[in-house]
């Protein structure tokens, strides 16, 4: 389904074209949003129009509003099956109940997309395959892929986690795709807090994409991986000098992530580590790595109130009609329990810090 067809289908449900464009954007890239997202998208001052739009979404059960910690705003989850069916995405993962981490990922992704309106972002595998003429198996992650006005492909990574093992795995999965692109940009998006995270991720990306392993080292790595797999218990592994040298050479985070992937996918994951293609792309400018800081922080959104009480008071200030709760689900209970546990842990840590 083309973008204009999706928008027209949402308009037929009783929304304006601007509202329909925003809803399509949210459903494709995040599933969750805040009132400020619509105000920024529409270029309007936050006020009655924005609150009325979200109250309509909640009132018609197209979305559910969740109160954040200390009542600092609400997160809106657009989840209604009929709404997603209208745009041809009935089974979208964004419809499902989201964990706190996924909520923050979604909100930061939407911020990243809205911050670069000149870039066209593709969400579905079909869109990526058709627009970029690239085989679908190369798109191993569900992050948006953008096309900037110069035709350069933009890969987004939302760096909301403090450590980088997940980022290292992401880079390894993207290498085959990056080698197939004539020009690309890896855009690492970081929240405003904590400071310094962007530099950490830039250094990790430079090291991962520019480091080349020689074919001889790849053979040694394969042998080392095979020995590790055959002796999963560290105490019974070979005590030879060769194994010890390999353990030291291939003991870093990059190779640890590579080993875990090799256990699942086999030797195919080793094919790209000896290619100088990405290092050359970075050297001649066909490849770029950049860190983009968002002006927002999401700490207050990581601790949502328990979702067992799904009642809301409309859009933000409570002047809109309330919505009826949707049927209870076990997934919601799991999420609620997770959130409550986070809140308890945070309160305990805060009490311990004050007592010291």
């Amino acid at each position: 389904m083309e973008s204009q067809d999706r928008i027209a289908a949402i308009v037929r449900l009783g929304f304006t074209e601007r509202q329909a464009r925003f809803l399509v954007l949210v459903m494709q890239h995040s599933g969750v949003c805040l009132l400020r997202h619509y105000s920024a998208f529409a270029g309007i001052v936050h006020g009655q129009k924005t609150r009325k739009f979200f109250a309509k979404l909640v009132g018609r059960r197209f979305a559910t509003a969740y109160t954040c910690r200390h009542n600092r705003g609400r997160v809106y989850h657009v989840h209604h099956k009929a709404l997603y069916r209208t745009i041809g995405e009935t089974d979208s993962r964004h419809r499902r109940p989201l964990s706190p981490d996924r909520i923050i990922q979604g909100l930061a992704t939407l911020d990243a997309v809205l911050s670069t309106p000149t870039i066209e972002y593709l969400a579905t595998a079909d869109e990526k395959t058709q627009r970029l003429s690239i085989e679908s198996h190369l798109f191993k992650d569900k992050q948006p892929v953008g096309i900037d006005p110069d035709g350069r492909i933009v890969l987004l990574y939302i760096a909301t986690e403090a450590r980088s093992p997940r980022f290292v795995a992401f880079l390894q999965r993207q290498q085959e795709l990056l080698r197939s692109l004539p020009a690309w940009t890896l855009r690492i998006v970081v929240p405003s807090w904590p400071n310094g995270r962007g530099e950490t991720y830039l250094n990790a990306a430079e090291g991962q994409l520019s480091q080349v392993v020689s074919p001889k080292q790849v053979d040694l790595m394969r042998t080392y991986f095979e020995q590790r797999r055959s002796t999963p218990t560290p105490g019974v592994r070979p005590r030879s000098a060769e194994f010890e040298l390999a353990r030291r050479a291939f003991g870093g985070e990059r190779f640890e992530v590579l080993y875990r992937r090799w256990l699942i996918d086999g030797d195919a994951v080793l094919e790209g580590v000896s290619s100088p293609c990405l290092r050359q792309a970075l050297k001649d400018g066909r490849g770029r790595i950049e860190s983009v800081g968002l002006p927002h922080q999401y700490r207050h959104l990581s601790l949502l109130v328990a979702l067992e009480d799904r009642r809301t008071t409309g859009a933000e200030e409570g002047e809109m009609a309330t919505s009826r709760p949707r049927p209870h689900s076990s997934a919601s209970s799991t999420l609620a329990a997770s959130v409550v546990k986070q809140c308890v842990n945070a309160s305990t840590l805060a009490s311990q810090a004050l007592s010291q």
Side-chain angles (χ1 to χ4, degrees):
M1 182 181 289
E2 297 293 331
S3 178
Q4 288 301 321
D5 295 331
R6 295 188 182 99
I7 294 169
I10 298 297
V11 168
R12 288 193 290 270
L13 295 178
F15 295 95
T16 68
E17 182 175 341
R18 184 168 66 183
Q19 292 170 346
R21 288 182 181 277
F22 178 74
L23 286 173
V24 170
L25 192 72
V26 170
M27 287 189 286
Q28 287 195 315
H29 296 303
S30 65
V32 291
C33 59
L34 304 170
L35 268 69
R36 66 168 173 79
H37 286 130
Y38 179 68
S39 298
F41 172 84
I44 60 177
V45 177
H46 173 66
Q48 183 70 9
K49 288 184 178 180
T50 300
R51 290 193 293 271
K52 187 176 181 179
F53 169 44
F54 278 82
K56 181 178 181 178
L57 289 174
V58 172
R60 296 181 63 179
R61 303 189 193 180
F62 289 150
T64 299
Y66 297 120
T67 305
C68 300
R69 190 175 179 228
H70 302 314
N71 291 320
R72 295 177 61 184
R74 293 186 178 88
V75 173
Y76 292 84
H77 181 201
V78 181
H79 54 71
H80 200 279
K81 185 174 184 179
L83 200 62
Y84 280 84
R85 184 189 300 119
T86 301
I87 67 168
E89 297 291 332
T90 307
D91 298 322
S92 171
R93 64 193 178 103
H94 297 311
R95 286 192 57 240
R96 299 192 291 269
L98 304 177
S99 68
D101 286 343
R102 282 282 308 279
I103 290 171
I104 293 174
Q105 280 276 323
L107 295 175
T109 298
L110 191 57
D111 277 323
V113 170
L114 291 174
S115 68
T116 51
T118 60
I119 296 179
E120 178 188 4
Y121 286 98
L122 310 175
T124 68
D126 288 342
E127 286 180 327
K128 296 171 185 177
T129 301
Q130 294 171 8
R131 290 293 306 279
L132 304 179
S133 299
I134 293 176
E135 295 181 10
S136 59
H137 75 273
L138 295 181
F139 298 105
K140 301 182 183 299
D141 287 80
K142 296 181 180 180
Q143 280 91 340
V145 174
I147 307 174
D148 73 10
D150 297 328
R152 179 181 288 267
I153 306 305
V154 180
L155 268 66
L156 281 182
Y157 185 83
I158 311 299
T160 56
E161 67 273 14
R163 296 186 60 203
S164 60
R166 187 164 66 180
F167 180 54
V168 172
F170 169 82
L171 292 174
Q172 291 182 9
R173 291 193 300 271
Q174 304 309 311
Q175 289 189 21
E176 186 178 2
L177 171 63
L178 293 177
R179 287 195 297 270
S180 69
L181 299 174
W184 51 268
T185 296
L186 172 63
R187 175 165 294 164
I188 305 166
V189 179
V190 295
S192 63
W193 183 91
N195 295 326
R197 181 174 291 175
E199 190 67 25
T200 299
Y201 275 81
L202 281 175
N203 292 336
E206 288 279 358
Q208 290 291 319
L209 299 182
S210 62
Q211 185 177 358
V212 178
V213 180
S214 70
K216 182 178 179 180
Q217 287 178 310
V218 171
D219 291 337
L220 292 174
M221 187 191 311
R222 182 183 294 106
T223 300
Y224 169 66
F225 284 176
E226 289 171 349
Q227 289 176 326
R228 280 190 62 179
R229 182 176 59 183
S230 63
T231 54
T233 303
V236 299
R237 286 174 182 168
R239 298 183 179 275
S240 64
E242 292 80 3
F243 182 85
E244 184 62 23
L245 287 174
R247 186 185 66 80
R248 293 179 180 179
F250 307 122
E253 183 178 73
R254 177 193 187 191
F255 298 108
E256 190 61 31
V257 172
L258 196 66
Y259 172 68
R260 291 197 295 267
R261 293 185 58 227
W262 177 82
L263 288 175
I264 299 172
D265 298 325
D267 288 347
V269 304
L270 304 179
E271 294 177 358
V273 296
S274 62
S275 171
C277 178
L278 297 182
R279 181 172 64 183
Q280 186 61 40
L282 291 171
K283 184 177 181 179
D284 61 27
R286 291 183 295 108
R288 298 175 187 168
I289 305 172
E290 61 185 28
S291 173
V292 178
L294 295 175
H296 309 289
Q297 55 179 286
Y298 305 90
R299 286 180 293 172
H300 66 291
L301 300 174
S302 64
L303 296 172
L304 303 176
V305 299
L307 303 188
E308 294 286 358
D309 181 3
R310 302 174 70 96
R311 292 172 297 176
T312 69
T313 54
E316 291 298 327
E317 297 180 359
E319 76 280 15
M320 299 299 174
T322 60
S323 65
R324 295 172 58 189
R326 298 177 65 228
H328 185 76
S329 69
S330 58
S332 296
S333 298
T334 301
L335 177 54
S338 171
V339 173
V340 171
K341 183 178 180 180
Q342 288 192 40
C343 292
V344 171
N345 290 342
S347 299
T348 302
L349 291 174
S351 299
Q352 292 173 350
L354 289 173
S355 63
Q356 292 177 352

